[in-house]
Amino acid sequence: MENFTFWTPTKYVFGRGVEMQAGQLTASMLARKVLIVYGGHSAEASGLLGRVRESLTEADVEWRELGGIRPNPTDDKVREGIEMMRADGLEALLAVGGGSVIDTAKAIAAGVPYEGDFWDFFEGKAEIGDTLPLGVILTIPAAGSEGSGNSVITKIDGKVKISIRTEVALRPKFALMNPELTFTLPPYQTACGIADMMAHIFERYFSDTPCVEITDRVAEGVLMAIIEEAPKVMANPTDYDARANIMWSGTLAHNGVCGTGRKEDWASHAMEHEISAVYDVAHGAGLSVVFPAWMTFMAKNHPEKGAQLARRIWGVTEADDHKAAIEGVMKLKQFFKDLGLPVTMDELGVKEPDIDLLVERLHRNKGAVIGGYYPLTSTETRLIYQLTL
Ligand code: NZQ
Ligand code: ZN
């Protein structure tokens, strides 16, 4: 096991009705003048935003609002938020939504105190220093941004989608997580979220670091819980306990606990980010296409971890590693299909993907070699993209 630091300063408040603590927690942990950031219509339509405003009013917190954050969020909204906060002297942010909303709020939080352009952080031209405090009310278990130190933004000019990762700077101060808020999720979004949280575990599980049995077992435990609970939320979207289990799984999948003490991979996320940047598909759906293809490649070239996963998660009994890993991929694909997710580019709605373009962009944006478990150059990433057809 490698040395590691595990630092999750976020206060998670979980359960029915917890969004009504927004005002009190904002006043005590963030500030008295905040920017509420939210997405399209879901938070207003469900009445959630109304309850949040009520809670802030009761706690004597002033606010402005920045709505209209779209999935695969873009740099223009970050700039709009930075300008609003500076103009109105706002001191903190409250994100009400999923990964897209939270990531926008995080980028604003880093951008306001910075004199240059916030995109410098995403291009690696500057290190994030001071950030404004951020609280979250989560409405979709998926990206895990409520517990991560990451933000993923797409620059409209050139459709460049970049993820930045900080140890602590971008982690929310608190996350309010009421599983009932996810009852209104459309089945496709629920399924995309499930694929994304599983992918966050796979990215950490596929590792050559030896002697990480505890981390492997934590990861397998969360995966097995997701596999058990996912069909329940799909069958009954208002099953509170199934929604609660899925919601907490999404946080544990990505707050770092499944990656402690080892090298991680992240090639599949880099490959997917190019797909969602170019074709504007849901990130989780892109992953349900890319991950089986990546795992198929690994079954041939580096099958050990895939075989372990297949045996421990999917109950595969095959002794040969290559065959066991392939059986595991088949089980994963079937699982995704049963959730209504795509497993090919065509099913994703990308009829004629431009693989040359994806490969060229991938290595221009993410480096000549990607992946911690098995280094991939453009030769291998092209093969993996071809396996998605
Ligand atoms: O905009 P509204 O109307 O709210 O609709 C949203 C949106 O269309 C809808 N939705 C959310 N909560 C709902 C709801 N609809 C009904 N009821 C509710 N309770 O869901 C749609 C998707 O929302 P989005 O925020 O885009 O989803 P997600 O959480 O999957 O976030 C995806 C983004 O996060 C990035 C992805 O790349 C993508 O840009 N990621 C961020 C990470 C991080 N910060 O750590 C890690 C991930 O790997 C990922 O890359
Ligand atoms: Zn993801």
Side-chain angles (χ1 to χ4, degrees):
M1 188 187 287
E2 293 179 1
N3 290 2
F4 68 89
T5 300
F6 179 58
W7 192 353
T8 50
T10 306
K11 174 173 181 167
Y12 299 101
V13 186
F14 193 101
R16 292 184 172 92
V18 296
E19 66 275 19
M20 294 314 289
Q21 296 182 37
Q24 172 231 321
L25 283 175
T26 299
S28 62
M29 293 184 70
L30 303 182
R32 296 252 166 214
K33 284 174 86 174
V34 301
L35 181 69
I36 303 180
V37 185
Y38 60 95
H41 306 290
S42 74
E44 192 77 83
S46 67
L48 171 61
L49 272 176
R51 295 199 296 285
V52 171
R53 293 181 189 115
E54 190 186 316
S55 172
L56 292 176
T57 305
E58 272 172 21
D60 226 3
V61 174
E62 277 181 50
W63 73 90
R64 303 282 181 281
E65 297 184 8
L66 175 67
I69 310 302
R70 295 186 55 251
N72 300 320
T74 45
D75 58 332
D76 55 338
K77 292 304 261 187
V78 177
R79 291 205 175 79
E80 192 181 332
I82 290 171
E83 278 170 27
M84 278 177 81
M85 292 199 76
R86 285 181 181 157
D88 294 344
L90 307 176
E91 298 153 338
L93 294 108
L94 187 59
V96 183
S100 298
V101 167
I102 302 168
D103 288 358
T104 302
K106 285 177 173 179
I108 298 170
V112 172
Y114 178 61
E115 282 183 5
D117 182 51
F118 89 95
W119 191 252
D120 290 351
F121 302 130
F122 286 76
E123 284 188 324
K125 289 184 184 162
E127 288 281 317
I128 293 178
D130 290 340
T131 56
L132 298 181
L134 161 72
V136 166
I137 301 175
L138 186 67
T139 64
I140 171 171
S145 187
E146 71 282 1
S148 82
N150 304 14
S151 171
V152 187
I153 301 291
T154 299
K155 189 178 185 188
I156 295 174
D157 182 13
K159 292 188 185 171
V160 187
K161 183 170 185 174
I162 304 269
S163 170
I164 48 168
R165 180 170 180 164
T166 65
E167 190 173 51
V168 176
L170 293 179
R171 292 191 194 251
K173 296 275 180 252
F174 64 78
L176 301 177
M177 302 172 63
N178 175 359
E180 288 176 334
L181 299 179
T182 68
F183 287 0
T184 53
L185 277 170
Y188 189 66
Q189 288 299 339
T190 300
C192 286
I194 289 165
D196 193 15
M197 61 184 76
M198 291 176 81
H200 294 158
I201 303 174
F202 296 149
E203 297 282 16
R204 294 171 164 96
Y205 191 83
F206 282 83
S207 170
D208 273 333
T209 308
C211 307
V212 281
E213 193 62 9
I214 176 63
T215 317
D216 271 1
R217 292 297 185 178
V218 169
E220 289 159 6
V222 182
L223 277 172
M224 288 167 89
I226 295 169
I227 291 165
E228 202 170 300
E229 299 299 311
K232 298 184 195 166
V233 290
M234 298 310 289
N236 181 5
T238 58
D239 178 339
Y240 178 86
D241 289 313
R243 285 286 193 190
N245 278 286
I246 288 292
M247 194 174 216
W248 190 231
S249 296
T251 305
L252 296 181
H254 200 40
N255 76 349
V257 72
C258 292
T260 48
R262 64 176 163 203
K263 195 170 177 186
E264 303 178 359
D265 187 72
W266 296 99
S268 301
H269 263 69
M271 294 184 70
E272 193 295 315
H273 282 162
E274 293 308 326
I275 299 173
S276 50
V278 175
Y279 300 107
D280 201 16
V281 295
H283 168 63
L287 287 167
S288 71
V289 173
V290 169
F291 241 111
W294 182 89
M295 285 181 177
T296 303
F297 177 92
M298 289 309 151
K300 184 161 181 239
N301 295 284
H302 193 8
E304 295 77 10
K305 217 57 198 274
Q308 178 181 306
L309 182 81
R311 293 184 187 116
R312 291 187 180 179
I313 297 298
W314 301 112
V316 169
T317 54
E318 168 63 51
D320 176 76
D321 274 359
H322 168 68
K323 288 184 188 160
I326 288 288
E327 259 190 68
V329 178
M330 294 303 154
K331 300 256 187 199
L332 177 66
K333 275 191 181 179
Q334 192 55 53
F335 179 78
F336 284 156
K337 283 185 192 173
D338 291 346
L339 295 181
L341 287 167
V343 294
T344 64
M345 283 284 199
D346 191 56
E347 290 168 5
L348 183 62
V350 182
K351 297 297 170 201
E352 288 180 9
D354 187 339
I355 289 181
D356 288 340
L357 177 75
L358 290 172
V359 172
E360 188 274 315
R361 288 173 50 100
L362 175 68
H363 293 285
R364 173 160 38 93
N365 294 329
K366 311 287 156 55
V369 183
I370 62 165
Y373 178 63
Y374 187 99
L376 305 171
T377 66
S378 58
T379 309
E380 291 84 31
T381 55
R382 181 181 305 279
L383 280 173
I384 294 170
Y385 277 131
Q386 278 161 353
L387 286 169
T388 65
L389 299 178

